[in-house]
Amino acid sequence: MPKPSLPVRLVLLVAGTSLPLIIFAAGIVFHDYIKDRREATQRVLEIVRSVRFTLDAEMRRMTGGLQVLSVTDALRSGDFAHFSGMASGFLDQYGKDGVILVADRQGHILFPAFEPDSPMPTRRNNLAIVDKVFATGQAQYSNVFFGVVKRKWIMTVDVPVMRDGEVVYDISFSPPIEMFQSMVEKQRPNADWTVTLLDGEGVVFARIPNPDATVGKHASPTLLPELFKSSEATLNSMSLDGVPLITGFSRSPLTGWTIAAGVTESSLVAPLWRNLAIASAIGAVLLLTGLAFAVRMATTIARGEMLHDLLIEELNHRVKNTLAILQAIAMQTFRSATRSERDKFEGRLGALAEAHNLLSSEKWQGSELKDVLERVLQPYLINAPERVKMFGPHVPLSPRHAVVLSMIVHEIATNAAKYGALSNDLGTIGIDWEVIPGGTGEVLRLIWTESGGPPVTAPIHRGFGSRLIERSARDQLGGEATVDFLPRGVVYTITCALEQAG
């Protein structure tokens, strides 16, 4: 797989750093949105409970006032003329639109009394609630219906009038519907909320917003079935205006009426999209800034690498020229020397040139130990590669180590070719190395083992090659080189402290 270019790697680095931050910021925004939904759900429950408590308190006060009227002697005795003043005092608390009716068991309206030719009705049209009052002897709260007196949608509170332990009359009060409308308007938190009062059958009798178009209608199809499953719950619903809501409702145990409230989904989603847009915009600016910086940095680095490569090429050219001049001078100097001496010098010079070629191919960033060994031993590996076995881990070498080790291995291989395992057709070479801990860092230990060569005898005098090996390992590598002349073959052991390649 081809290695990505430097600009691509820098762009991937910037993207890999910025994108997770953008995703993390989006995650935080979404987490806040979920939290806001939970809080909104809790808030709708608090609102409906608050409205329910307010409504129940008002209905208890209203019922109590009617019960006070129901025990007056004037009403019990049917003296409606005297009762009229008491009723007027009660109505003054609720305004001119409130109506008090007194009816008998058949629903005939006894108070206020109407003339026979009066256009006003003489009988209650909500006989079901009258029957409940006479049957139970308890206060009753009606569903919303169209009143025969007011000629509009009304609700009534009906209280029994007792005499001698029996119900003789039903006193009914229909409060101004505006009273309920004012109540929900005061309890509405803001314009994003919908607050609705519903009767026992789920019919709207007060609502904000848009009360004129919704009073008298059933709750929306998404809410209506849920009203009869539990007395209190939260859900996602669609309002009568077609607006998605997070809705909560609570039914009053006193009246059987239900209070519903909902906050628009858009009031929660809009901040989500706004915050996501802000986070995305900031992230995009940061990402584009990072990409621009990456491209600029890549351009600068590319120019630096181009200059570096140019200098390396110039260095290679000069070193090669120097080696060529050195070889020419040596040929002139060693013209009268023996062939053996010239070969030794040219071999050492060739080893130096091979090390230089290897470093040049790596742009003088160092090289790997095995590559150095293969370069030096290439003449012996071409014809019989099976005679040289190498084993060891990957070891990167600095340029200095690569040059010095190539010279040392060349000297050892030259000796093996002249006197040792490589001087016949049967000998073999084993090169093993390992990296071991040292006092100040890692230490390379390389062992050259020969076998199958001519019988080994220790030399009487140390030659220049042996001194080169020993001094190079000690002075230039900070290590040591030892040789053991064993009967089966020569063993060289070279140790040196490693330094970072590059």
Side-chain angles (χ1 to χ4, degrees):
M1 186 174 180
K3 186 177 181 180
S5 63
L6 179 61
V8 172
R9 281 181 284 167
L10 288 176
V11 167
L12 292 176
L13 175 62
V14 172
T17 303
S18 302
L19 290 179
L21 293 177
I22 297 174
I23 294 173
F24 179 71
I28 292 177
V29 172
F30 187 74
H31 176 269
D32 290 342
Y33 166 70
I34 298 299
K35 181 181 177 182
D36 290 344
R37 284 188 67 91
R38 287 197 299 265
E39 292 177 351
T41 302
Q42 184 63 33
R43 182 79 189 283
V44 295
L45 275 180
E46 293 173 356
I47 292 294
V48 295
R49 289 168 181 168
S50 175
V51 177
R52 192 195 76 192
F53 293 151
T54 303
L55 178 63
D56 285 352
E58 180 60 33
M59 298 311 294
R60 284 191 179 95
R61 188 176 72 87
M62 188 183 300
T63 304
L66 285 177
Q67 288 171 339
V68 170
L69 290 177
S70 71
V71 298
T72 60
D73 292 336
L75 181 57
R76 284 183 173 184
S77 63
D79 186 358
F80 297 115
H82 287 87
F83 176 72
S84 177
M86 300 176 187
S88 297
F90 178 86
L91 290 175
D92 288 341
Q93 302 177 56
Y94 296 97
K96 62 180 181 178
D97 289 334
V99 174
I100 289 180
L101 298 177
V102 178
D104 61 14
R105 184 181 294 273
Q106 288 74 36
H108 295 108
I109 300 175
L110 306 177
F111 176 86
F114 304 114
E115 298 295 333
D117 57 350
S118 172
M120 300 299 290
T122 60
R123 192 177 185 187
R124 294 278 300 272
N125 68 342
N126 190 6
L127 295 178
I129 195 169
V130 176
D131 292 339
K132 285 184 180 181
V133 170
F134 277 90
T136 63
Q138 302 291 328
Q140 301 294 326
Y141 304 90
S142 76
N143 292 324
V144 65
F145 65 98
F146 199 80
V148 295
V149 176
K150 290 187 176 182
R151 299 295 179 181
K152 61 181 179 180
W153 295 105
I154 64 170
M155 311 286 293
T156 65
V157 180
D158 291 70
V159 173
V161 179
M162 310 294 293
R163 186 172 61 197
D164 299 330
E166 294 183 0
V167 180
V168 293
Y169 301 124
D170 171 359
I171 179 172
S172 171
F173 173 59
S174 58
I177 202 76
E178 292 77 15
M179 180 189 77
F180 301 109
Q181 188 65 33
S182 175
M183 185 181 300
V184 296
E185 289 176 356
K186 291 178 180 178
Q187 295 291 331
R188 186 190 192 192
N190 55 55
D192 293 323
W193 285 73
T194 297
V195 182
T196 307
L197 300 185
L198 306 119
D199 67 12
E201 295 181 351
V203 177
V204 177
F205 64 90
R207 184 178 186 269
I208 190 72
N210 199 18
D212 295 336
T214 54
V215 171
K217 292 185 178 180
H218 280 90
S220 68
T222 55
L223 176 60
L224 185 62
E226 303 299 325
L227 298 178
F228 306 103
K229 293 180 180 179
S230 61
S231 61
E232 187 174 273
T234 59
L235 68 153
N236 295 328
S237 70
M238 187 72 69
S239 74
L240 290 172
D241 305 309
V243 178
L245 301 175
I246 297 176
T247 302
F249 66 85
S250 181
R251 184 180 303 115
S252 168
L254 175 66
T255 62
W257 300 339
T258 300
I259 298 88
V263 61
T264 59
E265 290 271 7
S266 61
S267 67
L268 301 175
V269 174
L272 169 65
W273 290 116
R274 182 173 61 252
N275 293 336
L276 282 177
I278 293 173
S280 300
I282 295 175
V285 170
L286 293 176
L287 180 60
L288 292 176
T289 302
L291 292 177
F293 177 77
V295 171
R296 182 179 180 86
M297 182 64 69
T299 303
T300 303
I301 294 175
R303 290 175 180 172
E305 287 186 344
M306 184 182 301
L307 179 60
H308 177 265
D309 292 343
L310 181 62
L311 294 175
I312 290 295
E313 291 297 328
E314 179 65 20
L315 175 62
N316 292 338
H317 178 70
R318 295 195 178 209
V319 170
K320 288 180 180 179
N321 287 344
T322 301
L323 290 175
I325 294 172
L326 183 58
Q327 186 175 20
I329 294 174
M331 291 182 65
Q332 294 293 329
T333 304
F334 292 116
R335 179 173 296 178
S336 60
T338 63
R339 179 65 181 178
S340 175
E341 292 174 339
R342 288 200 302 270
D343 290 344
K344 286 181 181 180
F345 181 81
E346 291 178 357
R348 290 163 182 159
L349 192 61
L352 183 61
E354 283 299 322
H356 170 265
N357 290 335
L358 180 59
L359 291 173
S360 297
S361 65
E362 299 294 334
K363 297 184 179 181
W364 289 87
Q365 297 296 313
S367 56
E368 210 272 327
L369 175 60
K370 188 175 181 180
D371 293 337
V372 172
L373 296 175
E374 289 178 346
R375 282 274 187 151
V376 175
L377 299 176
Q378 186 177 10
Y380 310 103
L381 295 174
I382 292 177
N383 297 324
E386 71 281 355
R387 297 182 64 186
V388 180
K389 304 294 183 182
M390 291 182 284
F391 180 79
H394 172 80
V395 180
L397 299 176
S398 65
R400 183 169 61 88
H401 278 62
V403 172
V404 176
L405 280 175
S406 65
M407 295 293 295
I408 292 175
V409 173
H410 171 74
E411 289 298 329
I412 296 175
T414 300
N415 290 338
K418 294 175 63 176
Y419 313 112
L422 297 179
S423 64
N424 60 19
D425 296 332
L426 302 176
T428 58
I429 301 294
I431 306 174
D432 300 281
W433 63 91
E434 62 180 344
V435 177
I436 58 177
T440 58
E442 294 181 331
V443 174
L444 171 66
R445 179 164 62 192
L446 184 146
I447 301 175
W448 172 292
T449 304
E450 299 182 14
S451 62
V456 176
T457 57
I460 300 175
H461 301 289
R462 297 174 61 201
F464 176 79
S466 298
R467 293 193 299 272
L468 175 64
I469 294 172
E470 179 182 342
R471 291 175 180 174
S472 296
R474 182 186 66 234
D475 299 337
Q476 299 187 53
L477 299 181
E480 63 176 352
T482 61
V483 56
D484 296 312
F485 296 95
L486 303 180
R488 67 177 183 274
V490 176
V491 177
Y492 287 92
T493 302
I494 302 168
T495 61
C496 64
L498 290 174
E499 60 185 25
Q500 185 178 2

